[in-house]
Amino acid sequence: MLMTYQSFSAPLALASTESDRSLAFVCNLLFVSAFKEDIANMGKGGMSHGETKDGEEENMAAWLLGVNTLKIQPFKLPCLGPHDVRVRMKAVGICGSDVHYLKTMKCAHFVVKEPMVIGHECAGIIEEVGSEIKSLVPGDRVALEPGISCWRCNLCKEGRYNLCPDMKFFATPPVHGSLANQVVHPADLCFKLPDNVSLEEGAMCEPLSVGVHACRRANIGPETNVLVMGAGPIGLVTLLAARAFGAPRIVIVDVDEYRLSVAKDLGADEIVKVSTNLQDVDQEVVLIHQAMGTGVDVTFDCAGFNKTMSTALSATRPGGKVCLVGMGHNEMTVPLTPAAAREVDVIGVFRYKNTWPLCIEFLSSGKIDVKPLITHRFGFSQKEVEEAFETSASGSTAIKLWCNCYGNKNHGMSCTAVAVHGEVLQAVVFEYYYKRSVLDRHKTPDSSLVWILPQGCRRPLETSVHSGLICPDLLQAEKTV
């Protein structure tokens, strides 16, 4: 059988990211998987191996079994409904909430009482669609919104479905998450990615959605000067979102110089280093006002501690807004009465609603570039998943940590190519949807990649290929299967 790479250009994806730095921040890891397996949807499912057809692999998932205990083991998929799709996971991220669950078995008022699959930031490739689905087809690359609301309560009917009391959200107990081979998910919560947006970037729509929703809640625009408290992953995506919404001046505050340097690289106009001492608030507010050079119209508290919220309320101008995004403390003691006397509005933010299309547009148009946030990569083996979570929880220099997950050898593999100043650091393996084959990698003197097809056909691949895109040269290659 003769086929060309051109024929499979839609489902064919290269998970590759260029970076000349090894960054890190504590909160999030992204797992890039490429298996022929699946994870259960929002339902509770079970640990049963289930039945598999001859030659099929079991669906594997990363289970949270107890404090500091993760295990990759089988997980049965639910049946595909008429309005569902089955998605092969390619990128799954672990955020701070997942680390909280691992370390304490709880996050805010959510408590893990029985084994649960972890992960909720994800993107992948459609493998199967329900009988009523017309908008998606197998091979489409999609980003998944992880929450399923009831659509019956008053909040859902008002359009505020993120506040639905019956929300079923990936990796929020008792609902299972998406760090596995495949998921079954409602098609209307799977958003097709344009060709110039990678699967890695697609998975980043989830944390980016928090920043976008916060900017909508605070009505950020071209006349809004913004202060961001906290330069962790959520603070950084809020910075990017505020700039995309037109904020003319953005100051970001943190206790860590490295995080502040990253924020500066991402476009913050000014940065201010602060302490953790509550007694320093008044002095630091003066520094913030000097850095802003004008009044602070909106402050986003992306940490959610007594100190950060007190600073936010004091630094924001009379008539301004403070938007509480982070949830570091469940209860706080803050100077609310002085803020009320200046009519400073306090706005809450919980997750997001109707943000994926705008996030994808920001990424596709180039208004927001999340690639600098993507750093470390790990595999999906038991050892590597544990190492990835340890790195996330360590407080090291990671922003986004990705895992390259390898499927069963009978179904091909997918790795990441990382080019730093032209030096090839890792192999890249292409996979295509209906027929898969592993291509070996050889480095040539000019630092390009030469793909060795099983029959020995050699084609070069430039190391500067954009993450998630297809090398035009390789698309023209023909291969006999």
Side-chain angles (χ1 to χ4, degrees):
M1 172 183 173
L2 182 69
M3 73 176 186
T4 66
Y5 288 98
Q6 186 86 45
S7 303
F8 295 91
S9 59
L12 181 64
L14 167 64
S16 141
T17 299
E18 295 176 36
S19 174
D20 60 357
R21 297 179 297 179
S22 185
L23 298 176
F25 263 111
V26 73
C27 299
N28 295 305
L29 300 100
L30 286 174
F31 290 75
V32 178
S33 62
F35 332 112
K36 182 78 167 89
E37 307 169 15
D38 307 300
I39 167 183
N41 164 5
M42 296 295 187
K44 292 180 61 176
M47 298 174 66
S48 168
H49 288 224
E51 297 181 357
T52 58
K53 298 177 182 178
D54 292 342
E56 268 192 20
E57 300 173 71
E58 288 182 315
N59 184 49
M60 306 299 289
W63 287 80
L64 175 61
L65 302 179
V67 174
N68 292 324
T69 305
L70 282 172
K71 186 175 181 180
I72 296 178
Q73 57 189 29
F75 183 52
K76 187 178 179 181
L77 282 170
C79 296
L80 187 73
H83 299 283
D84 296 334
V85 294
R86 183 161 53 89
V87 185
R88 179 161 43 92
M89 289 289 94
K90 296 289 290 183
V92 181
I94 304 304
C95 83
S97 64
D98 296 303
V99 174
H100 276 294
Y101 286 130
L102 177 65
K103 296 299 181 181
T104 66
M105 297 294 283
K106 62 182 179 180
C107 185
H109 61 282
F110 298 104
V111 180
V112 180
K113 298 180 179 179
E114 57 188 55
M116 180 184 77
V117 176
I118 205 75
H120 63 269
E121 304 173 3
C122 50
I125 298 176
I126 300 291
E127 290 224 333
E128 184 181 4
V129 301
S131 59
E132 299 297 318
I133 302 306
K134 309 299 181 184
S135 58
L136 296 170
V137 297
D140 282 345
R141 301 178 314 121
V142 293
L144 284 67
E145 182 173 349
I148 302 175
S149 60
C150 74
W151 291 114
R152 294 184 300 274
C153 68
N154 288 335
L155 287 166
C156 283
K157 291 176 180 179
E158 292 171 2
R160 305 187 72 176
Y161 65 86
N162 57 311
L163 304 178
C164 174
D166 294 322
M167 174 71 76
K168 294 180 174 61
F169 196 94
F170 276 152
T172 298
V175 179
H176 291 303
S178 58
L179 181 48
N181 304 141
Q182 297 187 18
V183 302
V184 170
H185 204 54
D188 61 354
L189 295 175
C190 296
F191 299 86
K192 188 172 179 179
L193 297 173
D195 291 340
N196 67 336
V197 175
S198 72
L199 288 160
E200 290 182 350
E201 293 169 291
M204 287 289 291
C205 284
E206 199 282 335
L208 180 58
S209 285
V210 176
V212 167
H213 181 54
C215 286
R216 282 175 168 171
R217 290 276 290 150
N219 294 319
I220 300 301
E223 297 181 351
T224 314
N225 295 306
V226 170
L227 172 64
V228 178
M229 305 296 299
I234 294 301
L236 294 176
V237 294
T238 301
L239 160 67
L240 295 174
R243 186 68 80 198
F245 273 78
R249 189 161 181 80
I250 304 174
V251 174
I252 193 161
V253 171
D254 201 277
V255 299
D256 186 271
E257 288 185 358
Y258 178 73
R259 296 184 182 189
L260 290 172
S261 70
V262 175
K264 188 69 172 177
D265 290 341
L266 290 174
D269 295 292
E270 294 291 343
I271 55 177
V272 178
K273 184 180 179 181
V274 295
S275 74
T276 58
N277 191 339
L278 194 60
Q279 278 66 47
D280 294 335
V281 167
D282 291 342
Q283 179 182 351
E284 290 167 356
V285 167
V286 173
L287 296 177
I288 290 168
H289 287 165
Q290 290 174 350
M292 183 66 74
T294 184
V296 176
D297 299 307
V298 172
T299 299
F300 294 105
D301 182 357
C302 297
F305 297 111
N306 283 335
K307 168 74 184 301
T308 55
M309 195 60 178
S310 295
T311 303
L313 290 169
S314 299
T316 304
R317 68 165 175 80
K321 300 173 185 176
V322 172
C323 192
L324 180 57
V325 182
M327 297 183 178
H329 284 160
N330 198 37
E331 295 182 359
M332 294 187 231
T333 300
V334 296
L336 195 57
T337 302
R342 293 168 25 245
E343 294 193 353
V344 174
D345 294 337
V346 178
I347 300 171
V349 168
F350 185 66
R351 294 174 178 159
Y352 33 68
K353 62 184 181 72
N354 299 317
T355 52
W356 258 252
L358 182 57
C359 287
I360 292 171
E361 170 59 27
F362 279 153
L363 296 173
S364 179
S365 66
K367 286 186 177 181
I368 290 180
D369 182 8
V370 294
K371 293 188 294 296
L373 302 179
I374 299 171
T375 57
H376 295 60
R377 289 169 172 78
F378 301 85
F380 192 59
S381 67
Q382 179 69 39
K383 179 180 178 181
E384 289 169 301
V385 168
E386 290 176 352
E387 182 183 356
F389 270 85
E390 289 171 4
T391 303
S392 176
S394 68
S396 67
T397 54
I399 301 176
K400 279 287 184 181
L401 296 84
W402 288 74
C403 284
N404 299 317
C405 305
Y406 309 97
N408 182 284
K409 63 183 180 180
N410 296 323
H411 294 291
M413 299 190 297
S414 176
C415 340
T416 299
V418 180
V420 179
H421 301 305
E423 180 68 18
V424 178
L425 301 183
Q426 294 178 318
V428 179
V429 177
F430 276 103
E431 48 133 9
Y432 39 94
Y433 188 70
Y434 295 103
K435 300 289 183 179
R436 296 190 176 124
S437 178
V438 177
L439 293 78
D440 196 8
R441 180 271 286 162
H442 290 256
K443 192 176 76 169
T444 61
D446 63 353
S447 290
S448 64
L449 294 181
V450 173
W451 298 97
I452 310 301
L453 277 63
Q455 292 75 16
C457 175
R458 298 165 68 93
R459 300 292 296 183
L461 172 65
E462 296 299 327
T463 60
S464 61
V465 174
H466 185 280
S467 172
L469 299 184
I470 309 307
C471 175
D473 179 58
L474 206 58
L475 286 177
Q476 304 303 319
E478 291 187 348
K479 175 185 180 308
T480 301
V481 176

